Amino acid sequence: MKTFKLVELTLYPTDQGSAQGKEMKLTEGLIINKEEDNEWVLEAVLGKTDLDYVQTLSENRKVQLAEVRITKPENRPALFVIQVQEVNDLEEEGNVIMKGSLAREDRLDLLTSISKLRKDGLGEDEILSSRFGSAE
């Protein structure tokens, strides 16, 4: 496993018909490459407002897109197809745990593809484990 500091996180809902993302205000964050089947774990400590936003997104366990910067703000962003696993309220702030895979496609292409897969009847877990994260 490899662990990196998560310095920027923007979430893109995939079920709202918009390419607008919401940048989260991180208190702390880390990202873990489990080095098996392109599986990644993202953990972010967020303020209350952003925590409430993520809680709303996570209620139906929909797949989301996450654009992140690792280690330094000037690094190139990486795009992940993720699913929120846990949202924990810690009074003034809270933490969010997400699992997913590194995406190899453009954000707009991913949003379109995920929408099509939903229309084709695939479940959220099937979408998450689909071709988006494969190391083809």
Side-chain angles (χ1 to χ4, degrees):
M1 279 196 288
K2 293 180 183 173
T3 303
F4 307 92
K5 182 177 181 172
L6 181 63
V7 295
E8 191 174 297
L9 171 65
T10 303
L11 295 178
Y12 294 87
T14 59
D15 61 348
Q16 297 178 0
S18 170
Q20 290 289 91
K22 177 163 176 31
E23 185 173 341
M24 304 287 110
K25 299 203 183 338
L26 290 173
T27 302
E28 292 183 60
L30 61 90
I31 184 166
I32 301 167
N33 179 350
K34 293 180 69 177
E35 296 184 333
E36 51 190 53
D37 298 328
N38 190 25
E39 188 175 3
W40 293 73
V41 176
L42 293 78
E43 182 173 6
V45 178
L46 306 172
K48 196 70 167 160
T49 302
D50 287 337
L51 188 69
D52 291 343
Y53 176 79
V54 174
Q55 179 67 45
T56 301
L57 289 179
S58 72
E59 287 173 357
N60 55 13
R61 310 257 315 145
K62 294 279 188 191
V63 169
Q64 311 295 324
L65 297 184
E67 187 174 76
V68 305
R69 288 184 198 267
I70 300 170
T71 309
K72 300 184 284 191
E74 57 270 11
N75 283 345
R76 175 185 280 175
L79 193 61
F80 289 83
V81 177
I82 58 99
Q83 190 175 46
V84 176
Q85 302 295 306
E86 284 182 48
V87 177
N88 301 297
D89 192 337
L90 307 170
E91 293 182 29
E92 299 294 315
E93 54 191 13
N95 82 324
V96 178
I97 298 171
M98 301 164 270
K99 286 185 180 177
S101 54
L102 183 62
R104 310 273 187 228
E105 296 180 45
D106 170 87
R107 181 175 3 118
L108 293 176
D109 290 342
L110 281 168
L111 289 168
T112 301
S113 295
I114 290 169
S115 177
K116 182 181 178 329
L117 290 172
R118 283 193 182 116
K119 286 179 184 170
D120 291 347
L122 263 69
E124 296 302 308
D125 289 336
E126 294 171 305
I127 293 170
L128 187 63
S129 63
S130 71
R131 64 185 171 87
F132 298 120
S134 65
E136 298 171 356

